């Protein structure tokens, strides 16, 4: 079995979560498997090794799990980007559009080292709104987004187009219309 097939087997589809019609891509079985977790961390680290990444930004909440491990492997620091109202210190904010309405992401205003070279990590790239808003937050703080890492990408939602041509690595790609849509 290929590495990709093994990982894909451990991503579970949960129908109608968190809302009717949504197929949620649940990576918790993959995280729970020692080989798959290590493989995922290595596969998302390797493309960015040697690129001088100083800080890895993880997006709440599943992004934290991977970003922390990847930061450790890259010898980088970890920075959390959270939903509005969760971080205790002074924050920088960025609004982003959802299908209906908008949401808010925050980062501590002093979280980045000056001019930091940053890797942004999350579990799923769907429409790209979350990752693009995170990149804007990093740039507001004077950081430089070198690239993005995701476990999986819902390619039919074209999220990659929101990432301004920067390097974006996803280990699994789902391209079929309607599969995993949110
Ligand atoms: P988006 O901003 O549309 O790219 O959505 C990405 C964010 O929403 C990520 O933080 C994902 O964890 C989550 N997400 C979106 N769609 C799904 C899905 N089908 N399954 C699991 N998580 C999803």
């Amino acid at each position: 079995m290929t590495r990709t097939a093994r990982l894909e087997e451990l991503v579970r589809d949960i129908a109608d979560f968190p809302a009717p019609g949504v197929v949620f891509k649940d990576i918790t079985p993959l995280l729970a498997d020692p080989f798959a977790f290590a493989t995922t961390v290595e596969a998302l680290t390797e493309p960015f090794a040697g690129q001088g990444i100083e800080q890895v930004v993880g997006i709440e909440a599943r992004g934290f799990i991977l970003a922390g491990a990847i930061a450790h492997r890259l010898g980088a620091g970890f920075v959390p980007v959270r939903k509005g109202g969760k971080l205790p210190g002074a924050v920088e904010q960025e609004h982003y559009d959802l299908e209906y309405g908008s949401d808010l992401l925050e980062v501590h205003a002093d979280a980045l080292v000056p001019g930091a070279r940053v890797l942004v990590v999350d579990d799923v790239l769907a429409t790209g709104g979350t990752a693009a808003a995170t990149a804007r937050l990093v740039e507001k703080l004077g950081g430089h987004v070198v690239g993005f890492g995701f476990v999986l990408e819902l390619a039919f939602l074209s999220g990659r187009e929101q990432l301004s041509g920067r390097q974006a690595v996803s280990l699994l790609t789902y391209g079929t219309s309607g599969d995993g849509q949110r």
Side-chain angles (χ1 to χ4, degrees):
M1 188 184 288
T2 65
R3 182 181 76 181
T4 302
R6 175 80 183 124
L7 296 183
E8 195 165 354
E9 233 182 35
L10 292 168
V11 175
R12 175 168 63 180
D13 284 358
I14 310 274
D16 299 320
F17 184 88
V22 175
V23 179
F24 189 86
K25 294 288 187 190
D26 177 23
I27 66 160
T28 60
L30 180 153
L31 298 174
D33 181 284
F35 176 78
F37 183 52
T39 301
T40 299
V41 170
E42 290 309 313
L44 288 175
T45 298
E46 193 271 333
F48 299 101
Q51 294 205 51
I53 305 289
E54 296 164 281
Q55 293 182 300
V56 180
V57 168
I59 303 175
E60 182 172 358
R62 292 174 299 277
F64 292 172
I65 302 157
L66 295 159
I70 293 164
H72 177 67
R73 292 289 291 126
L74 288 171
F78 166 75
V79 174
V81 161
R82 301 204 64 176
K83 303 282 168 58
K86 302 275 189 71
L87 288 168
V91 294
E92 189 64 69
Q93 300 183 319
E94 188 68 32
H95 291 268
Y96 64 108
D97 291 331
L98 299 172
E99 198 175 351
Y100 304 103
S102 73
D103 215 338
L104 181 64
L105 290 176
E106 294 181 342
V107 66
H108 273 145
D110 62 356
L112 294 187
V113 298
R117 291 176 62 77
V118 169
L119 169 64
V120 174
V121 171
D122 203 358
D123 62 337
V124 173
L125 174 64
T127 67
T130 308
T134 300
R136 292 196 298 275
L137 268 183
V138 169
E139 284 159 2
K140 272 185 180 176
L141 298 189
H144 171 66
V145 178
V146 175
F148 300 85
F150 307 95
V151 177
L152 66 97
E153 171 175 0
L154 306 178
F156 56 90
L157 294 176
S158 306
R160 200 168 268 273
E161 289 171 14
Q162 308 300 317
L163 305 182
S164 312
R166 284 170 289 209
Q167 184 178 6
V169 174
S170 50
L171 305 182
L172 303 172
T173 303
Y174 297 82
T176 321
S177 181
D179 179 16
Q181 192 153 7
R182 175 170 175 180

